[in-house]
Amino acid sequence: MTEKMKNILTAIISAAAVLTACSAEKSPAEDLISVLRSGVSEGKILFGQQDAFMYGHSWRAVEGDSPDRSDVKDVCGKNPAVLGLDLGGIELLDSKNLDGNSFSLMRTAALEQNARGGVVTLSWHLRNPLTGGDSWDVSSDRVVASILEGGEKHETFMQWLANCAGYLDTFRDEEGKLIPMIFRPWHEHTGSWFWWGRDLCTTDEYKALWRLTYRYLTEERGLDNLVWAYSPGAGVDKAGYMERYPGDDMADMLGLDCYQYGEVPASNAVYSAQLRESLAFMEQLGKEHGKLIALTETGLEGLPYAAWWTEVLYPAIKDYPIAYVLVWRNACDIPGHFYAPWPGQESEADFRKFSETGKMVFLD
Ligand code: BMA
């Protein structure tokens, strides 16, 4: 962890907690886990957004930009403390990811976020290695089986993992040290919309896929900077949540992807009940397994309810020891596909209130 990260985090959470958290012998991942734990013990929740510095509702960063602008900052004067980025496309060494972000600019944004004392989290909407389609191509239920050892696409997949590892290995600070990042592969697997989802592979196959990914990136490639987050989708109970859990030795964080769907205001109560129910069992699981918990993806698309932040989201999360909450992206090229306000959006004033509760952490 850089001095700057320590300083900034010290300003947010107590100095003693941060100093105990950071020690020379720890790996970058262990350092980040300790810092996140300190934040939780201080009762803080980091606020995050996917692609926050890459583009916003009506703008897109270009190569060479200093990735400092975000819709969130335009609205409340502060940037998200957590920056989400997606690796989709790196498997074939594309120059841009599936949403048009240059991989080189993503790395710049991540390094700056780290230097500012912020946190980076990575998801991976990779292609379908069996059919050549995308993550959402669920036309075959043999994809996971085909990429495990002995499968006909195993070599292809290992090359994809190698391409991903090669990119991750370039996330190094000025001293050449890997920066810590939360890595969240094979997410929302409790649903069946991705080729690694529930109906597309068996529990054993899913766990084997996680193990293969974990062992390759950590043991073979030495990436000791990744904090591994398990992030099922909402709509499962405690047992369903844990059904495909890879094991305490291969996960550091228990996440949840939970969105609000349906008409407002009717769906407000449904969403908040589902969130509370899930966070309650995740809190127990976090204690039982000694893991951090987080709301790894959430949001209400298009934010049609002006007081959503303080009346819906905040009351639903404030009583749970989550390390962070991340809302999804503000697409600049898909009308209505946004999850944070921008200047002029109807939930703007309420978001400012939410950012000033004293509980939510942003970067000044
Ligand atoms: C989805 C949408 C898509 C996007 C994908 C990966 O939820 O936002 O437009 O391609 O995430 O970021």
Side-chain angles (χ1 to χ4, degrees), residues 1 5-6 9-23 26 30-46 292 321-323 359 361:
M1 172 162 329
M5 187 167 190
K6 279 181 212 171
L9 285 160
T10 305
I12 323 174
I13 53 188
S14 89
V18 174
L19 292 176
T20 327
C22 307
S23 99
K26 285 181 181 160
E30 287 167 332
D31 258 351
L32 177 56
I33 291 170
S34 301
V35 168
L36 293 173
R37 279 193 195 290
S38 309
V40 171
S41 67
E42 300 282 318
K44 302 288 185 186
I45 300 177
L46 307 189
L292 287 159
I322 53 177
K359 188 170 182 75
V361 176

PDB file of all heavy atoms in Angstrom, residues 1 5-6 9-23 26 30-46 292 321-323 359 361:
ATOM      1  N   MET A   1       0.835  -1.197   0.000  1.00  0.00           N
ATOM      2  CA  MET A   1       0.000   0.000   0.000  1.00  0.00           C
ATOM      3  C   MET A   1       0.872   1.250   0.000  1.00  0.00           C
ATOM      4  O   MET A   1       1.867   1.316   0.697  1.00  0.00           O
ATOM      5  CB  MET A   1      -0.843  -0.030   1.251  1.00  0.00           C
ATOM      6  CG  MET A   1      -1.604   1.228   1.454  1.00  0.00           C
ATOM      7  SD  MET A   1      -2.921   0.970   2.598  1.00  0.00           S
ATOM      8  CE  MET A   1      -3.328  -0.707   2.286  1.00  0.00           C
ATOM      9  N   MET A   5      -2.142   6.089   0.113  1.00  0.00           N
ATOM     10  CA  MET A   5      -3.336   5.308   0.445  1.00  0.00           C
ATOM     11  C   MET A   5      -3.523   5.278   1.959  1.00  0.00           C
ATOM     12  O   MET A   5      -4.615   5.453   2.472  1.00  0.00           O
ATOM     13  CB  MET A   5      -3.198   3.894  -0.102  1.00  0.00           C
ATOM     14  CG  MET A   5      -4.448   3.055   0.048  1.00  0.00           C
ATOM     15  SD  MET A   5      -4.302   1.550  -0.953  1.00  0.00           S
ATOM     16  CE  MET A   5      -5.963   0.895  -0.861  1.00  0.00           C
ATOM     17  N   LYS A   6      -2.412   5.086   2.659  1.00  0.00           N
ATOM     18  CA  LYS A   6      -2.482   5.064   4.126  1.00  0.00           C
ATOM     19  C   LYS A   6      -2.993   6.404   4.649  1.00  0.00           C
ATOM     20  O   LYS A   6      -3.854   6.459   5.507  1.00  0.00           O
ATOM     21  CB  LYS A   6      -1.098   4.800   4.716  1.00  0.00           C
ATOM     22  CG  LYS A   6      -0.725   3.335   4.714  1.00  0.00           C
ATOM     23  CD  LYS A   6       0.638   3.151   5.343  1.00  0.00           C
ATOM     24  CE  LYS A   6       1.324   1.976   4.696  1.00  0.00           C
ATOM     25  NZ  LYS A   6       2.707   1.833   5.061  1.00  0.00           N
ATOM     26  N   LEU A   9      -6.731   6.936   3.765  1.00  0.00           N
ATOM     27  CA  LEU A   9      -7.594   6.069   4.568  1.00  0.00           C
ATOM     28  C   LEU A   9      -7.539   6.456   6.041  1.00  0.00           C
ATOM     29  O   LEU A   9      -8.521   6.337   6.754  1.00  0.00           O
ATOM     30  CB  LEU A   9      -7.208   4.605   4.353  1.00  0.00           C
ATOM     31  CG  LEU A   9      -7.705   4.113   2.995  1.00  0.00           C
ATOM     32  CD1 LEU A   9      -6.948   2.877   2.557  1.00  0.00           C
ATOM     33  CD2 LEU A   9      -9.189   3.835   3.015  1.00  0.00           C
ATOM     34  N   THR A  10      -6.384   6.953   6.471  1.00  0.00           N
ATOM     35  CA  THR A  10      -6.282   7.399   7.855  1.00  0.00           C
ATOM     36  C   THR A  10      -7.230   8.563   8.109  1.00  0.00           C
ATOM     37  O   THR A  10      -7.807   8.702   9.183  1.00  0.00           O
ATOM     38  CB  THR A  10      -4.832   7.819   8.184  1.00  0.00           C
ATOM     39  OG1 THR A  10      -3.990   6.735   7.868  1.00  0.00           O
ATOM     40  CG2 THR A  10      -4.666   8.152   9.647  1.00  0.00           C
ATOM     41  N   ALA A  11      -7.403   9.387   7.066  1.00  0.00           N
ATOM     42  CA  ALA A  11      -8.313  10.515   7.230  1.00  0.00           C
ATOM     43  C   ALA A  11      -9.756  10.037   7.333  1.00  0.00           C
ATOM     44  O   ALA A  11     -10.570  10.657   8.003  1.00  0.00           O
ATOM     45  CB  ALA A  11      -8.164  11.469   6.047  1.00  0.00           C
ATOM     46  N   ILE A  12     -10.058   8.923   6.697  1.00  0.00           N
ATOM     47  CA  ILE A  12     -11.447   8.442   6.717  1.00  0.00           C
ATOM     48  C   ILE A  12     -11.719   7.619   7.973  1.00  0.00           C
ATOM     49  O   ILE A  12     -12.739   7.752   8.625  1.00  0.00           O
ATOM     50  CB  ILE A  12     -11.753   7.485   5.532  1.00  0.00           C
ATOM     51  CG1 ILE A  12     -11.069   7.873   4.232  1.00  0.00           C
ATOM     52  CG2 ILE A  12     -13.238   7.374   5.311  1.00  0.00           C
ATOM     53  CD1 ILE A  12     -11.266   6.833   3.139  1.00  0.00           C
ATOM     54  N   ILE A  13     -10.809   6.705   8.246  1.00  0.00           N
ATOM     55  CA  ILE A  13     -11.016   5.844   9.400  1.00  0.00           C
ATOM     56  C   ILE A  13      -9.907   6.119  10.410  1.00  0.00           C
ATOM     57  O   ILE A  13      -9.021   6.907  10.131  1.00  0.00           O
ATOM     58  CB  ILE A  13     -11.075   4.356   8.972  1.00  0.00           C
ATOM     59  CG1 ILE A  13      -9.862   3.966   8.152  1.00  0.00           C
ATOM     60  CG2 ILE A  13     -12.313   4.088   8.169  1.00  0.00           C
ATOM     61  CD1 ILE A  13      -9.963   2.578   7.535  1.00  0.00           C
ATOM     62  N   SER A  14      -9.971   5.521  11.569  1.00  0.00           N
ATOM     63  CA  SER A  14      -9.042   5.969  12.610  1.00  0.00           C
ATOM     64  C   SER A  14      -7.595   5.575  12.313  1.00  0.00           C
ATOM     65  O   SER A  14      -7.307   4.542  11.737  1.00  0.00           O
ATOM     66  CB  SER A  14      -9.476   5.406  13.958  1.00  0.00           C
ATOM     67  OG  SER A  14      -8.884   4.150  14.150  1.00  0.00           O
ATOM     68  N   ALA A  15      -6.703   6.469  12.709  1.00  0.00           N
ATOM     69  CA  ALA A  15      -5.285   6.289  12.423  1.00  0.00           C
ATOM     70  C   ALA A  15      -4.772   4.968  12.967  1.00  0.00           C
ATOM     71  O   ALA A  15      -4.070   4.224  12.277  1.00  0.00           O
ATOM     72  CB  ALA A  15      -4.502   7.440  13.031  1.00  0.00           C
ATOM     73  N   ALA A  16      -5.160   4.654  14.181  1.00  0.00           N
ATOM     74  CA  ALA A  16      -4.656   3.435  14.816  1.00  0.00           C
ATOM     75  C   ALA A  16      -5.051   2.217  13.996  1.00  0.00           C
ATOM     76  O   ALA A  16      -4.242   1.327  13.727  1.00  0.00           O
ATOM     77  CB  ALA A  16      -5.234   3.331  16.216  1.00  0.00           C
ATOM     78  N   ALA A  17      -6.296   2.201  13.540  1.00  0.00           N
ATOM     79  CA  ALA A  17      -6.784   1.045  12.784  1.00  0.00           C
ATOM     80  C   ALA A  17      -5.989   0.863  11.503  1.00  0.00           C
ATOM     81  O   ALA A  17      -5.598  -0.240  11.143  1.00  0.00           O
ATOM     82  CB  ALA A  17      -8.269   1.233  12.470  1.00  0.00           C
ATOM     83  N   VAL A  18      -5.707   1.966  10.812  1.00  0.00           N
ATOM     84  CA  VAL A  18      -4.993   1.848   9.539  1.00  0.00           C
ATOM     85  C   VAL A  18      -3.557   1.413   9.760  1.00  0.00           C
ATOM     86  O   VAL A  18      -3.034   0.552   9.056  1.00  0.00           O
ATOM     87  CB  VAL A  18      -5.027   3.174   8.740  1.00  0.00           C
ATOM     88  CG1 VAL A  18      -4.152   3.082   7.502  1.00  0.00           C
ATOM     89  CG2 VAL A  18      -6.441   3.494   8.337  1.00  0.00           C
ATOM     90  N   LEU A  19      -2.926   1.983  10.791  1.00  0.00           N
ATOM     91  CA  LEU A  19      -1.530   1.625  11.025  1.00  0.00           C
ATOM     92  C   LEU A  19      -1.388   0.153  11.395  1.00  0.00           C
ATOM     93  O   LEU A  19      -0.485  -0.527  10.945  1.00  0.00           O
ATOM     94  CB  LEU A  19      -0.911   2.536  12.094  1.00  0.00           C
ATOM     95  CG  LEU A  19      -0.781   3.986  11.596  1.00  0.00           C
ATOM     96  CD1 LEU A  19      -0.251   4.907  12.675  1.00  0.00           C
ATOM     97  CD2 LEU A  19       0.118   4.069  10.366  1.00  0.00           C
ATOM     98  N   THR A  20      -2.341  -0.355  12.170  1.00  0.00           N
ATOM     99  CA  THR A  20      -2.287  -1.779  12.500  1.00  0.00           C
ATOM    100  C   THR A  20      -2.532  -2.603  11.242  1.00  0.00           C
ATOM    101  O   THR A  20      -1.982  -3.678  11.054  1.00  0.00           O
ATOM    102  CB  THR A  20      -3.411  -2.153  13.507  1.00  0.00           C
ATOM    103  OG1 THR A  20      -3.627  -1.052  14.350  1.00  0.00           O
ATOM    104  CG2 THR A  20      -3.099  -3.387  14.296  1.00  0.00           C
ATOM    105  N   ALA A  21      -3.404  -2.045  10.377  1.00  0.00           N
ATOM    106  CA  ALA A  21      -3.793  -2.799   9.185  1.00  0.00           C
ATOM    107  C   ALA A  21      -2.637  -2.970   8.205  1.00  0.00           C
ATOM    108  O   ALA A  21      -2.534  -3.966   7.520  1.00  0.00           O
ATOM    109  CB  ALA A  21      -4.956  -2.096   8.496  1.00  0.00           C
ATOM    110  N   CYS A  22      -1.766  -1.959   8.129  1.00  0.00           N
ATOM    111  CA  CYS A  22      -0.735  -1.984   7.092  1.00  0.00           C
ATOM    112  C   CYS A  22       0.599  -2.455   7.665  1.00  0.00           C
ATOM    113  O   CYS A  22       1.155  -1.812   8.522  1.00  0.00           O
ATOM    114  CB  CYS A  22      -0.530  -0.593   6.520  1.00  0.00           C
ATOM    115  SG  CYS A  22      -2.061   0.154   5.973  1.00  0.00           S
ATOM    116  N   SER A  23       1.075  -3.546   7.165  1.00  0.00           N
ATOM    117  CA  SER A  23       2.382  -3.958   7.646  1.00  0.00           C
ATOM    118  C   SER A  23       3.212  -4.446   6.473  1.00  0.00           C
ATOM    119  O   SER A  23       2.692  -4.909   5.477  1.00  0.00           O
ATOM    120  CB  SER A  23       2.249  -5.040   8.712  1.00  0.00           C
ATOM    121  OG  SER A  23       2.457  -6.297   8.138  1.00  0.00           O
ATOM    122  N   LYS A  26       2.860  -7.999   4.670  1.00  0.00           N
ATOM    123  CA  LYS A  26       1.635  -8.474   4.042  1.00  0.00           C
ATOM    124  C   LYS A  26       1.672  -8.327   2.520  1.00  0.00           C
ATOM    125  O   LYS A  26       2.310  -7.429   1.993  1.00  0.00           O
ATOM    126  CB  LYS A  26       0.453  -7.676   4.584  1.00  0.00           C
ATOM    127  CG  LYS A  26       0.062  -8.075   5.988  1.00  0.00           C
ATOM    128  CD  LYS A  26      -1.128  -7.263   6.423  1.00  0.00           C
ATOM    129  CE  LYS A  26      -1.552  -7.597   7.829  1.00  0.00           C
ATOM    130  NZ  LYS A  26      -2.357  -6.513   8.400  1.00  0.00           N
ATOM    131  N   GLU A  30      -3.636  -8.799   1.158  1.00  0.00           N
ATOM    132  CA  GLU A  30      -3.844  -8.809   2.618  1.00  0.00           C
ATOM    133  C   GLU A  30      -3.939  -7.393   3.171  1.00  0.00           C
ATOM    134  O   GLU A  30      -4.720  -7.114   4.074  1.00  0.00           O
ATOM    135  CB  GLU A  30      -2.702  -9.574   3.308  1.00  0.00           C
ATOM    136  CG  GLU A  30      -2.798 -11.070   3.095  1.00  0.00           C
ATOM    137  CD  GLU A  30      -1.514 -11.804   3.491  1.00  0.00           C
ATOM    138  OE1 GLU A  30      -0.416 -11.196   3.423  1.00  0.00           O
ATOM    139  OE2 GLU A  30      -1.614 -12.980   3.859  1.00  0.00           O
ATOM    140  N   ASP A  31      -3.122  -6.503   2.606  1.00  0.00           N
ATOM    141  CA  ASP A  31      -3.177  -5.095   3.010  1.00  0.00           C
ATOM    142  C   ASP A  31      -4.564  -4.521   2.760  1.00  0.00           C
ATOM    143  O   ASP A  31      -5.142  -3.856   3.626  1.00  0.00           O
ATOM    144  CB  ASP A  31      -2.177  -4.277   2.177  1.00  0.00           C
ATOM    145  CG  ASP A  31      -0.917  -3.957   2.961  1.00  0.00           C
ATOM    146  OD1 ASP A  31      -0.892  -4.212   4.179  1.00  0.00           O
ATOM    147  OD2 ASP A  31       0.033  -3.460   2.343  1.00  0.00           O
ATOM    148  N   LEU A  32      -5.088  -4.768   1.556  1.00  0.00           N
ATOM    149  CA  LEU A  32      -6.403  -4.206   1.225  1.00  0.00           C
ATOM    150  C   LEU A  32      -7.488  -4.806   2.113  1.00  0.00           C
ATOM    151  O   LEU A  32      -8.377  -4.091   2.589  1.00  0.00           O
ATOM    152  CB  LEU A  32      -6.724  -4.437  -0.268  1.00  0.00           C
ATOM    153  CG  LEU A  32      -8.106  -3.950  -0.726  1.00  0.00           C
ATOM    154  CD1 LEU A  32      -8.325  -2.463  -0.412  1.00  0.00           C
ATOM    155  CD2 LEU A  32      -8.291  -4.186  -2.224  1.00  0.00           C
ATOM    156  N   ILE A  33      -7.388  -6.108   2.370  1.00  0.00           N
ATOM    157  CA  ILE A  33      -8.379  -6.750   3.252  1.00  0.00           C
ATOM    158  C   ILE A  33      -8.358  -6.068   4.626  1.00  0.00           C
ATOM    159  O   ILE A  33      -9.397  -5.743   5.191  1.00  0.00           O
ATOM    160  CB  ILE A  33      -8.096  -8.265   3.370  1.00  0.00           C
ATOM    161  CG1 ILE A  33      -8.396  -8.954   2.037  1.00  0.00           C
ATOM    162  CG2 ILE A  33      -8.917  -8.897   4.509  1.00  0.00           C
ATOM    163  CD1 ILE A  33      -7.930 -10.410   1.945  1.00  0.00           C
ATOM    164  N   SER A  34      -7.162  -5.821   5.140  1.00  0.00           N
ATOM    165  CA  SER A  34      -7.052  -5.179   6.461  1.00  0.00           C
ATOM    166  C   SER A  34      -7.649  -3.781   6.457  1.00  0.00           C
ATOM    167  O   SER A  34      -8.355  -3.392   7.390  1.00  0.00           O
ATOM    168  CB  SER A  34      -5.593  -5.062   6.890  1.00  0.00           C
ATOM    169  OG  SER A  34      -5.018  -6.330   6.934  1.00  0.00           O
ATOM    170  N   VAL A  35      -7.382  -3.037   5.401  1.00  0.00           N
ATOM    171  CA  VAL A  35      -7.929  -1.684   5.330  1.00  0.00           C
ATOM    172  C   VAL A  35      -9.453  -1.729   5.250  1.00  0.00           C
ATOM    173  O   VAL A  35     -10.151  -0.970   5.927  1.00  0.00           O
ATOM    174  CB  VAL A  35      -7.335  -0.932   4.112  1.00  0.00           C
ATOM    175  CG1 VAL A  35      -8.103   0.351   3.841  1.00  0.00           C
ATOM    176  CG2 VAL A  35      -5.866  -0.628   4.350  1.00  0.00           C
ATOM    177  N   LEU A  36      -9.972  -2.658   4.442  1.00  0.00           N
ATOM    178  CA  LEU A  36     -11.434  -2.768   4.327  1.00  0.00           C
ATOM    179  C   LEU A  36     -12.042  -3.172   5.669  1.00  0.00           C
ATOM    180  O   LEU A  36     -13.093  -2.672   6.066  1.00  0.00           O
ATOM    181  CB  LEU A  36     -11.812  -3.780   3.231  1.00  0.00           C
ATOM    182  CG  LEU A  36     -11.451  -3.355   1.797  1.00  0.00           C
ATOM    183  CD1 LEU A  36     -11.711  -4.497   0.809  1.00  0.00           C
ATOM    184  CD2 LEU A  36     -12.223  -2.101   1.368  1.00  0.00           C
ATOM    185  N   ARG A  37     -11.367  -4.066   6.364  1.00  0.00           N
ATOM    186  CA  ARG A  37     -11.844  -4.462   7.702  1.00  0.00           C
ATOM    187  C   ARG A  37     -11.872  -3.282   8.655  1.00  0.00           C
ATOM    188  O   ARG A  37     -12.804  -3.129   9.452  1.00  0.00           O
ATOM    189  CB  ARG A  37     -10.922  -5.537   8.305  1.00  0.00           C
ATOM    190  CG  ARG A  37     -11.199  -6.919   7.807  1.00  0.00           C
ATOM    191  CD  ARG A  37     -10.478  -7.949   8.685  1.00  0.00           C
ATOM    192  NE  ARG A  37     -10.463  -9.226   8.015  1.00  0.00           N
ATOM    193  CZ  ARG A  37     -11.521  -9.988   7.810  1.00  0.00           C
ATOM    194  NH1 ARG A  37     -12.695  -9.600   8.273  1.00  0.00           N
ATOM    195  NH2 ARG A  37     -11.433 -11.129   7.164  1.00  0.00           N
ATOM    196  N   SER A  38     -10.851  -2.437   8.580  1.00  0.00           N
ATOM    197  CA  SER A  38     -10.815  -1.256   9.451  1.00  0.00           C
ATOM    198  C   SER A  38     -12.002  -0.357   9.162  1.00  0.00           C
ATOM    199  O   SER A  38     -12.641   0.160  10.081  1.00  0.00           O
ATOM    200  CB  SER A  38      -9.538  -0.440   9.231  1.00  0.00           C
ATOM    201  OG  SER A  38      -8.426  -1.263   9.304  1.00  0.00           O
ATOM    202  N   GLY A  39     -12.287  -0.164   7.875  1.00  0.00           N
ATOM    203  CA  GLY A  39     -13.431   0.667   7.506  1.00  0.00           C
ATOM    204  C   GLY A  39     -14.721   0.107   8.089  1.00  0.00           C
ATOM    205  O   GLY A  39     -15.534   0.841   8.656  1.00  0.00           O
ATOM    206  N   VAL A  40     -14.894  -1.215   7.984  1.00  0.00           N
ATOM    207  CA  VAL A  40     -16.106  -1.858   8.513  1.00  0.00           C
ATOM    208  C   VAL A  40     -16.174  -1.662  10.024  1.00  0.00           C
ATOM    209  O   VAL A  40     -17.225  -1.317  10.570  1.00  0.00           O
ATOM    210  CB  VAL A  40     -16.123  -3.367   8.163  1.00  0.00           C
ATOM    211  CG1 VAL A  40     -17.247  -4.083   8.895  1.00  0.00           C
ATOM    212  CG2 VAL A  40     -16.275  -3.560   6.648  1.00  0.00           C
ATOM    213  N   SER A  41     -15.043  -1.835  10.696  1.00  0.00           N
ATOM    214  CA  SER A  41     -15.089  -1.730  12.162  1.00  0.00           C
ATOM    215  C   SER A  41     -15.359  -0.294  12.606  1.00  0.00           C
ATOM    216  O   SER A  41     -15.830  -0.062  13.713  1.00  0.00           O
ATOM    217  CB  SER A  41     -13.825  -2.308  12.803  1.00  0.00           C
ATOM    218  OG  SER A  41     -12.743  -1.494  12.468  1.00  0.00           O
ATOM    219  N   GLU A  42     -15.094   0.659  11.739  1.00  0.00           N
ATOM    220  CA  GLU A  42     -15.427   2.058  12.040  1.00  0.00           C
ATOM    221  C   GLU A  42     -16.858   2.394  11.624  1.00  0.00           C
ATOM    222  O   GLU A  42     -17.278   3.554  11.689  1.00  0.00           O
ATOM    223  CB  GLU A  42     -14.481   3.000  11.294  1.00  0.00           C
ATOM    224  CG  GLU A  42     -13.008   2.827  11.642  1.00  0.00           C
ATOM    225  CD  GLU A  42     -12.646   3.466  12.971  1.00  0.00           C
ATOM    226  OE1 GLU A  42     -13.123   4.575  13.231  1.00  0.00           O
ATOM    227  OE2 GLU A  42     -11.912   2.839  13.735  1.00  0.00           O
ATOM    228  N   GLY A  43     -17.581   1.405  11.120  1.00  0.00           N
ATOM    229  CA  GLY A  43     -18.975   1.636  10.715  1.00  0.00           C
ATOM    230  C   GLY A  43     -19.129   2.374   9.398  1.00  0.00           C
ATOM    231  O   GLY A  43     -20.168   2.967   9.112  1.00  0.00           O
ATOM    232  N   LYS A  44     -18.084   2.335   8.561  1.00  0.00           N
ATOM    233  CA  LYS A  44     -18.136   3.044   7.276  1.00  0.00           C
ATOM    234  C   LYS A  44     -18.497   2.102   6.135  1.00  0.00           C
ATOM    235  O   LYS A  44     -18.220   0.903   6.201  1.00  0.00           O
ATOM    236  CB  LYS A  44     -16.767   3.673   6.965  1.00  0.00           C
ATOM    237  CG  LYS A  44     -16.272   4.636   8.011  1.00  0.00           C
ATOM    238  CD  LYS A  44     -17.048   5.924   7.994  1.00  0.00           C
ATOM    239  CE  LYS A  44     -16.458   6.934   8.966  1.00  0.00           C
ATOM    240  NZ  LYS A  44     -17.279   8.141   9.070  1.00  0.00           N
ATOM    241  N   ILE A  45     -19.069   2.674   5.079  1.00  0.00           N
ATOM    242  CA  ILE A  45     -19.354   1.912   3.849  1.00  0.00           C
ATOM    243  C   ILE A  45     -18.765   2.714   2.684  1.00  0.00           C
ATOM    244  O   ILE A  45     -19.110   3.889   2.493  1.00  0.00           O
ATOM    245  CB  ILE A  45     -20.874   1.739   3.625  1.00  0.00           C
ATOM    246  CG1 ILE A  45     -21.531   0.995   4.789  1.00  0.00           C
ATOM    247  CG2 ILE A  45     -21.136   1.005   2.302  1.00  0.00           C
ATOM    248  CD1 ILE A  45     -23.062   0.837   4.665  1.00  0.00           C
ATOM    249  N   LEU A  46     -17.867   2.114   1.926  1.00  0.00           N
ATOM    250  CA  LEU A  46     -17.312   2.812   0.764  1.00  0.00           C
ATOM    251  C   LEU A  46     -18.366   2.825  -0.345  1.00  0.00           C
ATOM    252  O   LEU A  46     -19.082   1.846  -0.539  1.00  0.00           O
ATOM    253  CB  LEU A  46     -16.046   2.113   0.242  1.00  0.00           C
ATOM    254  CG  LEU A  46     -14.888   1.822   1.204  1.00  0.00           C
ATOM    255  CD1 LEU A  46     -13.670   1.346   0.421  1.00  0.00           C
ATOM    256  CD2 LEU A  46     -14.511   3.008   2.039  1.00  0.00           C
ATOM    257  N   LEU A 292     -15.034 -10.747   4.727  1.00  0.00           N
ATOM    258  CA  LEU A 292     -15.678  -9.450   4.498  1.00  0.00           C
ATOM    259  C   LEU A 292     -16.972  -9.686   3.737  1.00  0.00           C
ATOM    260  O   LEU A 292     -17.080 -10.673   2.991  1.00  0.00           O
ATOM    261  CB  LEU A 292     -14.772  -8.590   3.612  1.00  0.00           C
ATOM    262  CG  LEU A 292     -13.520  -8.022   4.243  1.00  0.00           C
ATOM    263  CD1 LEU A 292     -12.511  -7.674   3.150  1.00  0.00           C
ATOM    264  CD2 LEU A 292     -13.860  -6.782   5.067  1.00  0.00           C
ATOM    265  N   PRO A 321     -22.723  -4.668   8.169  1.00  0.00           N
ATOM    266  CA  PRO A 321     -21.280  -4.353   8.108  1.00  0.00           C
ATOM    267  C   PRO A 321     -20.660  -4.619   6.732  1.00  0.00           C
ATOM    268  O   PRO A 321     -19.709  -5.390   6.595  1.00  0.00           O
ATOM    269  CB  PRO A 321     -20.698  -5.283   9.176  1.00  0.00           C
ATOM    270  CG  PRO A 321     -21.604  -6.484   9.156  1.00  0.00           C
ATOM    271  CD  PRO A 321     -22.983  -5.963   8.845  1.00  0.00           C
ATOM    272  N   ILE A 322     -21.222  -3.951   5.714  1.00  0.00           N
ATOM    273  CA  ILE A 322     -20.681  -4.170   4.374  1.00  0.00           C
ATOM    274  C   ILE A 322     -19.499  -3.234   4.127  1.00  0.00           C
ATOM    275  O   ILE A 322     -19.499  -2.080   4.541  1.00  0.00           O
ATOM    276  CB  ILE A 322     -21.754  -3.990   3.263  1.00  0.00           C
ATOM    277  CG1 ILE A 322     -22.471  -2.642   3.359  1.00  0.00           C
ATOM    278  CG2 ILE A 322     -22.761  -5.123   3.310  1.00  0.00           C
ATOM    279  CD1 ILE A 322     -23.485  -2.404   2.236  1.00  0.00           C
ATOM    280  N   ALA A 323     -18.489  -3.770   3.428  1.00  0.00           N
ATOM    281  CA  ALA A 323     -17.285  -2.973   3.160  1.00  0.00           C
ATOM    282  C   ALA A 323     -17.577  -1.897   2.125  1.00  0.00           C
ATOM    283  O   ALA A 323     -17.060  -0.791   2.204  1.00  0.00           O
ATOM    284  CB  ALA A 323     -16.158  -3.878   2.675  1.00  0.00           C
ATOM    285  N   LYS A 359     -21.607   8.296   6.879  1.00  0.00           N
ATOM    286  CA  LYS A 359     -21.340   6.853   6.874  1.00  0.00           C
ATOM    287  C   LYS A 359     -20.714   6.410   5.546  1.00  0.00           C
ATOM    288  O   LYS A 359     -19.853   5.543   5.514  1.00  0.00           O
ATOM    289  CB  LYS A 359     -22.651   6.099   7.096  1.00  0.00           C
ATOM    290  CG  LYS A 359     -22.443   4.615   7.292  1.00  0.00           C
ATOM    291  CD  LYS A 359     -23.717   3.931   7.748  1.00  0.00           C
ATOM    292  CE  LYS A 359     -23.485   2.463   7.982  1.00  0.00           C
ATOM    293  NZ  LYS A 359     -22.762   2.155   9.214  1.00  0.00           N
ATOM    294  N   VAL A 361     -18.407   6.565   2.375  1.00  0.00           N
ATOM    295  CA  VAL A 361     -17.076   7.105   2.098  1.00  0.00           C
ATOM    296  C   VAL A 361     -16.896   7.351   0.598  1.00  0.00           C
ATOM    297  O   VAL A 361     -17.135   6.469  -0.227  1.00  0.00           O
ATOM    298  CB  VAL A 361     -15.985   6.137   2.609  1.00  0.00           C
ATOM    299  CG1 VAL A 361     -14.591   6.657   2.237  1.00  0.00           C
ATOM    300  CG2 VAL A 361     -16.092   5.949   4.115  1.00  0.00           C
TER     301      VAL A 361
END
